[in-house]
Amino acid sequence: MKYVCTKMRQSKWIWLLLLAITSFQFAQAQSKNVTGTVTDEKGNPMPGVTVQVKGTSQGMQTDGNGAFGLQINTAEATLIFSMMGYTTQEIPVKVPAQLKVKLAETASDLNEVVVVGYGTQKKVNLTGALSVVKGEELSKRMVASTSLALQGAAPGITVTQQSGAPGADAGTIRIRGISSMFGGNNPLVLIDNVEMSLDAIDANNIESITVLKDAAAASIYGSRAANGVVLVTTKRGTLQPLSVEYNGYASWQNATNLPNKVSALEHMQMYDVALKNVGKPAAFEKAIEDYKTLGPDNFTRFNTDWKKQVLTNSGLMHNHNVSLRMGTDKIRLFASGALLNQQGLTANTDFRRTDFRFNTDINLAKNLTASMDLVMNKSERNWPGIATPGFLIRQMIGLPAYVAGRFDTGEYGEGWANRNPIALAEASGFNRSIINTQVLTGTLNYKPIPGMELLATYSSNNINLHNKNMQKQYDIYAGDVTTNSLKLMTRYPGDNSLSESRGETKQSIFRAQASYEKTLSQHTVKVLGGFSAEEYKGDTLLGSRRNFNNPDMPYLGVGDANTMSNNGVAAEWAMLSFYSRINYSYKDKYLLEVNGRWDASSRYAKGNRWGFFPSVSAGWRMSQENFWSGIAPVVNDAKLRASYGKLGTQGLDNYYPTVSAFLPGYNYFFNNAVNSGYAVTDASNPFLQWEEANQFDAGLDLSFLNSKLSVSADYYHRRTANTMQKLPIPKLTGLNAPFVNVGAMENKGWELALGWRDRVGEFSYGAQFALSDVRNKLINLNGLDYMEGLTIKREGYPIDAYYGYIAEGLFQSQEEIDKAPTHYTNTKPGDIRYKDVSGPDGVPDGKIDAFDQVVLGSNIPRYEYSLNLNAGWKGFDLTVFFQGVGKRDNYLSGNGAWAFYSSEFQGTAYEQHKDYWTPDNPNASYPRLTVDIDNNQKNSSYWMRSGAYLRLKNLVLGYTLPESILKRAKIKSWRVYVSGQNLFTADNFYPGFDPEIRNSTGDFYPIMKTYTVGMNIKF
């Protein structure tokens, strides 16, 4: 029955879509009494030009030949011809008429309309700091996660990628630094005003992205905007005949960086040196001799190429997007379907995503319009059952080559302690995560009088999650020299097990607003006000069982009932908000904007739930003054702007720190029986308030040489006060300390964007350069330090800075050790020498201990830059995009840095470790080889390297076939292209490790280098 209902629903949608298309084509078939063509200044047809009858909603877009036709029922009319990048024309006509229209290209984009909070504004009138990225720029970056397409796209937007694994390769977005110590630092991402993941949408469906960076631009979103706002506008139907577009590509991926390991023989030789250095006997003397005389046989003597055996997947990625657009004066529709399939480098590692979108706009009456948007998205990530792709890479680069991997007949060897990365990838089961997202948005827009707009919208974002992790046993073999055959040694792991979880979240928001705009003489005022109510609910159910006799039946009911376990969690919160904005402009010369938002959150106690977040910004277009006329031919536009405002944040995600929570699992013995118990473990703070970020911004926008050259510069200072942290409380309470509003942090920075675009004959070219810097500092932690592994939160330094000893090179002799501050009892020549910085009294005390540890550096990127070069000539187009970081510290430790180290298996050595210290090699890059001592494994500057880099991020070469060839096939345009992503990286980081990835232990999945072929066809 479920199948039948599903088919009926699908048929219903298909019939509705066919009816809409048929009605549309019928309307288009009506006679037209005003026709014509639109060309550029060189006479080339211009498809996609909007032709609209002034004062009405009637209009269309020119076809692939630049032609248009309208049925006008009046004797006279005025037609408006517009297209981005060209001067808009208004042409009076007497019906009937046949026109030939030429549009002149303009380099200026000052009249461009950009999306801002809850509305749009002309770029010329903006007073806040924001950046706009066009959809066509994003679609040139062939990436599985759309967040990565923002990397380097605009100044002040930091996007870092920490993994290239399918389904986990998304970028982390930071806008102008970090604003919270213990809360989230992700920006608010709104796709058509619905909060969603940026990586859930196909980049081909994006019209534009606006990034709101300062308080003036973002404060209308109040407490949700402390980390910036990313506004994504998707494509919609336009006034045009039915058009169909296909975008597709295929990419081949491989790793940007992987370290090269030593061979089995080299490992054994170096390991024996390490044993000798710590006073232990050699372990491989006989084996070394056998390897030298007999060589490896892959039976009892191995030289396993772990990289070749583990990286067996194709790394193929392909993406397909089909969209249609159409529109009349009654209804407009944009519909698209997209499919992404991404294979990993390791077996059983892949990611699939399907994305369907329907955007519909309907003119219900003269001044009443409605829109209905439907999004259906499904993603499926498959990984091996027992190990993550990152752990597989860690074992692949960490296990020595002399360990058995795979025998010639295909059986698995022991690896280390039966954990063989080849078997883990191929035969350990599966870990499948499926996410289904359905978003429905309905909007009514009414314009009762000129200048007034009333809007009401409701959206529901439903997400269903299903995770299934089946861990299967595999067989481990070893070579038996007595029988000259393989012998089954054991099965790993000890049993088969299954864990499964299902969850659902629903986020609903209702918003109503009114706006009114009025121009009196040379004064323009626009007032906007509204309110929104938002609710989030989520719950998850988990269960697991072990001892599956038949692991090919991955269902909980098949497992052993005696091993069952279950759990469940839920979360919910709600917000109520009121917001307003006033814009004032005098002669488009003096600009003023005032914003205010009042937010109430259910996560705060009564009395502290409401927060008020205002902002004010002003702009002065100096170029409109009379005194500017003398330099106007050179500097044709100039604007000064400044803003100040306050933003808020709830600090912690899905958590109620203002109330005491009773947690299960604290059983107690009473009346001769164990009873289920609950306990309060964390102290609450009912007086907790909003974190507040106060931000100042000053900017300058300049346009030169008829807007061929553009310059934009900003300086900002953001101070976050009332940040949440935990202060110590007496242990006799038996509770963990509560969060309190006592901390402070600041971010100072600047941004610079330069752009040039021009045309010489048939050759067009352009360049965009962006450079930005941000300096983060913790202002107030009440004298406390918060340490976590390699990093520390300390007043006066960037958040989560690297912390450890200062290395002063390597000891060269015992005499040098004897004269140095006391290190460790087993310190020998070739060990790292640490600096005596301080002691209990704050002065050097002649010994190395915890008092000598200092802040070493920061992983927060400084001086981020990008350069985007583009050119076009006779159908050819070229884009070259560079991105980089000028200053950044990065750290490597564990089996990523230290020879023979691993916390879970016997590590090996890399090629760079061959340059180890000996009396004959005193200037070595690596200390003396050791095992089982940690003198050289302390947190220290010795293992910190520069994480600065320059990367050829994207290279695209395309060709658009001539229109004369495509006419017969009724194809409007056909573009083919080849491209590369992450093709080249210049850095001074560790060989084989990517400087962008912050991973101290060598547990990582490499960032991908991709080679792509693709096409774009429009019908």
Side-chain angles (χ1 to χ4, degrees):
M1 184 65 187
K2 181 179 179 181
Y3 174 79
V4 173
C5 292
T6 300
K7 283 296 183 182
M8 290 177 65
R9 285 194 295 266
Q10 291 176 346
S11 300
K12 179 181 177 181
W13 277 105
I14 292 172
W15 279 110
L16 286 173
L17 184 59
L18 289 174
L19 179 61
I21 294 174
T22 303
S23 302
F24 175 81
Q25 297 288 17
F26 176 79
Q28 290 294 308
Q30 304 300 307
S31 61
K32 303 173 179 64
N33 54 14
V34 177
T35 60
T37 57
V38 182
T39 63
D40 61 18
E41 292 176 298
K42 298 179 179 61
N44 300 313
M46 294 183 60
V49 176
T50 298
V51 185
Q52 189 166 5
V53 181
K54 187 173 183 180
T56 74
S57 59
Q58 183 184 3
M60 64 174 297
Q61 286 191 331
T62 56
D63 61 18
N65 299 318
F68 68 92
L70 292 168
Q71 175 67 30
I72 300 177
N73 298 322
T74 59
E76 296 181 353
T78 298
L79 299 186
I80 302 174
F81 297 83
S82 61
M83 187 176 188
M84 187 175 296
Y86 291 82
T87 302
T88 299
Q89 285 196 42
E90 294 190 12
I91 300 178
V93 297
K94 293 183 178 180
V95 180
Q98 187 172 5
L99 305 175
K100 290 184 178 180
V101 180
K102 283 188 177 183
L103 293 185
E105 186 175 5
T106 176
S108 175
D109 59 358
L110 293 177
N111 290 319
E112 176 186 349
V113 175
V114 299
V115 176
V116 297
Y118 300 134
T120 59
Q121 286 187 29
K122 283 187 177 181
K123 189 173 182 178
V124 69
N125 291 331
L126 293 174
T127 53
L130 57 82
S131 295
V132 179
V133 184
K134 301 294 179 59
E136 54 263 31
E137 295 299 320
L138 297 171
S139 60
K140 291 179 181 178
R141 306 276 294 276
M142 289 69 191
V143 290
S145 298
T146 304
S147 57
L148 297 178
L150 277 180
Q151 191 171 41
I157 306 170
T158 300
V159 181
T160 56
Q161 186 180 6
Q162 296 301 298
S163 173
D169 59 354
T172 299
I173 302 175
R174 297 288 181 263
I175 298 176
R176 291 186 167 182
I178 297 172
S179 62
S180 181
M181 287 189 293
F182 297 100
N185 284 288
N186 293 324
L188 173 65
V189 178
L190 298 175
I191 300 178
D192 291 335
N193 285 316
V194 178
E195 186 173 359
M196 292 177 63
S197 167
L198 185 58
D199 300 306
I201 183 173
D202 188 285
N204 291 290
N205 294 335
I206 296 176
E207 186 74 34
S208 67
I209 292 181
T210 302
V211 182
L212 311 181
K213 296 186 286 188
D214 72 342
S219 66
I220 200 164
Y221 292 104
S223 65
R224 310 300 305 280
N227 303 311
V229 183
V230 179
L231 301 178
V232 181
T233 302
T234 62
K235 297 176 180 178
R236 308 196 71 83
T238 54
L239 298 170
Q240 65 176 74
L242 174 65
S243 66
V244 179
E245 183 174 354
Y246 168 77
N247 287 281
Y249 65 81
S251 299
W252 289 263
Q253 306 174 101
N254 55 45
T256 54
N257 266 314
L258 284 174
N260 294 316
K261 300 194 299 184
V262 298
S263 67
L265 179 59
E266 291 171 324
H267 173 95
M268 292 185 287
Q269 291 171 330
M270 293 171 67
Y271 196 83
D272 277 358
V273 172
L275 289 171
K276 179 181 177 181
N277 285 342
V278 296
K280 294 183 178 181
F284 291 106
E285 287 181 342
K286 177 63 168 62
I288 290 172
E289 189 62 32
D290 289 343
Y291 270 77
K292 286 182 176 180
T293 57
L294 302 175
D297 59 6
N298 206 39
F299 186 70
T300 58
R301 296 182 303 278
F302 305 92
N303 190 25
T304 303
D305 186 342
W306 291 105
K307 188 183 298 185
K308 181 179 180 181
Q309 293 287 340
V310 173
L311 304 183
T312 59
N313 206 351
S314 64
L316 176 66
M317 177 173 69
H318 56 94
N319 187 77
H320 310 274
N321 180 288
V322 178
S323 64
L324 64 86
R325 269 183 167 179
M326 60 184 186
T328 67
D329 56 354
K330 297 296 184 183
I331 184 171
R332 296 182 297 278
L333 172 68
F334 173 82
S336 76
L339 169 66
L340 170 73
N341 187 305
Q342 181 185 21
Q343 296 294 317
L345 302 180
T346 56
N348 296 308
T349 304
D350 61 74
F351 177 72
R352 300 182 185 91
R353 183 185 66 213
T354 55
D355 183 37
F356 294 95
R357 176 174 291 272
F358 302 90
N359 293 346
T360 308
D361 299 287
I362 304 171
N363 291 331
L364 299 175
K366 181 179 180 181
N367 297 319
L368 179 64
T369 62
S371 65
M372 182 69 71
D373 298 347
L374 174 65
V375 179
M376 296 178 291
N377 182 285
K378 178 182 178 181
S379 65
E380 179 178 331
R381 187 216 68 197
N382 291 288
W383 287 356
I386 296 179
T388 66
F391 181 79
L392 293 176
I393 300 295
R394 180 185 176 193
Q395 278 205 310
M396 180 194 77
I397 66 174
L399 283 175
Y402 76 84
V403 174
R406 190 201 305 269
F407 292 96
D408 293 340
T409 50
E411 292 84 353
Y412 301 120
E414 181 184 5
W416 195 267
N418 300 320
R419 295 211 296 186
N420 182 332
I422 307 170
L424 290 173
E426 297 178 351
S428 70
F430 63 87
N431 187 343
R432 180 177 301 127
S433 176
I434 299 175
I435 302 176
N436 279 292
T437 303
Q438 302 89 31
V439 180
L440 182 64
T441 304
T443 303
L444 283 175
N445 189 301
Y446 179 54
K447 299 178 180 178
I449 59 175
M452 177 175 285
E453 182 178 59
L454 307 177
L455 179 144
T457 181
Y458 172 82
S459 65
S460 174
N461 185 358
N462 295 270
I463 301 176
N464 294 278
L465 307 97
H466 182 201
N467 182 267
K468 204 168 197 177
N469 183 197
M470 183 72 208
Q471 298 188 355
K472 297 172 62 174
Q473 294 176 303
Y474 55 83
D475 297 334
I476 296 295
Y477 289 83
D480 189 342
V481 294
T482 60
T483 62
N484 198 34
S485 63
L486 297 178
K487 181 180 180 180
L488 177 63
M489 302 302 293
T490 186
R491 306 193 76 193
Y492 182 85
D495 59 11
N496 299 304
S497 64
L498 173 67
S499 61
E500 189 169 0
S501 64
R502 293 180 183 268
E504 180 180 6
T505 67
K506 181 177 182 179
Q507 188 167 352
S508 303
I509 182 169
F510 174 78
R511 180 167 59 89
Q513 72 180 42
S515 64
Y516 182 72
E517 183 174 10
K518 185 69 174 179
T519 299
L520 295 173
S521 182
Q522 295 174 323
H523 302 269
T524 299
V525 178
K526 184 175 182 179
V527 180
L528 178 146
F531 81 93
S532 67
E534 188 173 3
E535 182 183 54
Y536 171 90
K537 290 184 177 181
D539 62 83
T540 303
L541 180 65
L542 309 94
S544 67
R545 287 193 183 188
R546 311 188 70 86
N547 299 331
F548 281 71
N549 293 326
N550 185 355
D552 293 326
M553 295 183 66
Y555 310 105
L556 286 174
V558 180
D560 184 356
N562 294 321
T563 64
M564 72 168 63
S565 68
N566 58 72
N567 196 4
V569 295
E572 63 179 74
W573 51 263
M575 289 190 67
L576 180 65
S577 305
F578 295 89
Y579 56 89
S580 63
R581 178 170 60 219
I582 300 175
N583 293 93
Y584 170 75
S585 169
Y586 176 63
K587 293 184 176 181
D588 282 342
K589 182 193 306 183
Y590 308 112
L591 311 169
L592 178 68
E593 180 175 304
V594 179
N595 291 275
R597 178 159 174 139
W598 295 259
D599 280 332
S601 171
S602 64
R603 294 166 58 192
Y604 292 108
K606 290 183 179 180
N608 293 317
R609 286 179 177 167
W610 285 96
F612 176 56
F613 308 105
S615 73
V616 60
S617 60
W620 174 35
R621 293 187 65 203
M622 303 173 290
S623 54
Q624 300 301 300
E625 301 287 359
N626 293 333
F627 65 77
W628 200 267
S629 59
I631 60 173
V634 178
V635 187
N636 50 278
D637 195 79
K639 178 170 63 177
L640 275 173
R641 48 185 169 77
S643 68
Y644 183 81
K646 180 171 70 173
L647 300 171
T649 176
Q650 298 184 70
L652 303 171
D653 293 330
N654 294 330
Y655 180 57
Y656 283 79
T658 59
V659 296
S660 298
F662 287 85
L663 301 179
Y666 294 87
N667 299 338
Y668 60 96
F669 188 81
F670 179 75
N671 199 22
N672 295 322
V674 177
N675 299 272
S676 298
Y678 294 80
V680 175
T681 59
D682 294 318
S684 64
N685 178 9
F687 304 105
L688 205 63
Q689 300 177 3
W690 299 85
E691 292 186 347
E692 297 179 349
N694 296 281
Q695 182 168 328
F696 167 78
D697 183 281
L700 174 65
D701 300 320
L702 300 172
S703 182
F704 299 84
L705 306 175
N706 195 26
S707 298
K708 292 180 180 179
L709 174 64
S710 61
V711 179
S712 182
D714 280 85
Y715 168 80
Y716 61 90
H717 180 198
R718 180 172 65 191
R719 181 185 175 97
T720 306
N722 291 334
T723 59
M724 298 183 189
Q725 69 175 98
K726 292 185 176 183
L727 299 181
I729 61 175
K731 293 184 178 181
L732 58 87
T733 63
L735 300 174
N736 298 319
F739 280 101
V740 291
N741 298 107
V742 292
M745 180 196 310
E746 73 173 10
N747 291 275
K748 292 181 180 179
W750 51 265
E751 301 165 2
L752 175 67
L754 306 175
W756 174 272
R757 54 184 178 182
D758 196 9
R759 176 184 290 271
V760 180
E762 295 186 62
F763 179 72
S764 62
Y765 66 100
Q768 295 81 42
F769 175 74
L771 176 65
S772 62
D773 183 38
V774 59
R775 291 166 292 160
N776 174 271
K777 185 166 70 172
L778 293 169
I779 302 298
N780 180 20
L781 293 179
N782 290 273
L784 298 176
D785 289 341
Y786 297 86
M787 294 188 61
E788 184 177 354
L790 288 167
T791 63
I792 188 172
K793 294 180 177 70
R794 172 174 285 183
E795 289 179 4
Y797 295 95
I799 189 171
D800 293 329
Y802 290 124
Y803 187 72
Y805 297 101
I806 297 175
E808 296 184 311
L810 303 177
F811 283 115
Q812 298 296 325
S813 65
Q814 186 61 46
E815 180 182 4
E816 185 179 347
I817 295 173
D818 295 339
K819 293 181 179 179
T822 303
H823 278 58
Y824 306 98
T825 56
N826 50 12
T827 300
K828 300 294 182 183
D831 284 345
I832 299 173
R833 175 172 180 159
Y834 302 112
K835 183 177 182 179
D836 182 14
V837 175
S838 183
D841 299 325
V843 295
D845 59 354
K847 62 180 180 180
I848 302 301
D849 53 23
F851 292 104
D852 298 304
Q853 296 185 71
V854 297
V855 172
L856 301 173
S858 172
N859 193 256
I860 297 176
R862 299 278 309 275
Y863 309 115
E864 294 184 85
Y865 58 90
S866 65
L867 176 64
N868 192 354
L869 306 172
N870 57 81
W873 178 75
K874 290 187 175 181
F876 289 95
D877 61 89
L878 175 68
T879 301
V880 184
F881 181 56
F882 293 93
Q883 179 266 335
V885 173
K887 181 181 179 182
R888 180 181 184 232
D889 298 312
N890 210 346
Y891 197 99
L892 210 60
S893 64
N895 67 292
W898 305 326
F900 314 124
Y901 175 88
S902 176
S903 59
E904 301 170 6
F905 51 84
Q906 173 59 69
T908 189
Y910 304 134
E911 284 291 326
Q912 58 262 33
H913 293 148
K914 291 181 180 179
D915 184 26
Y916 59 86
W917 186 93
T918 67
D920 297 327
N921 187 26
N923 298 318
S925 62
Y926 189 80
R928 67 179 178 125
L929 295 176
T930 59
V931 292
D932 298 332
I933 63 172
D934 63 356
N935 294 11
N936 300 319
Q937 297 170 3
K938 308 294 184 184
N939 296 347
S940 77
S941 60
Y942 196 89
W943 306 110
M944 192 170 69
R945 297 285 189 276
S946 170
Y949 65 89
L950 167 65
R951 178 166 282 163
L952 177 53
K953 199 70 183 179
N954 191 234
L955 175 65
V956 183
L957 177 62
Y959 178 69
T960 301
L961 278 66
E963 185 180 334
S964 58
I965 299 176
L966 303 177
K967 276 185 177 180
R968 295 179 181 178
K970 296 184 178 180
I971 298 175
K972 294 180 181 178
S973 68
W974 190 339
R975 177 177 176 266
V976 294
Y977 60 87
V978 294
S979 75
Q981 184 87 1
N982 298 326
L983 295 179
F984 166 79
T985 304
D987 65 88
N988 291 314
F989 197 52
Y990 285 92
F993 293 89
D994 197 296
E996 187 175 345
I997 295 178
R998 179 181 184 176
N999 190 300
S1000 62
T1001 64
D1003 189 344
F1004 71 101
Y1005 191 100
I1007 294 174
M1008 293 292 99
K1009 179 187 298 183
T1010 63
Y1011 304 91
T1012 302
V1013 294
M1015 66 174 64
N1016 169 263
I1017 308 176
K1018 297 180 180 179
F1019 299 94

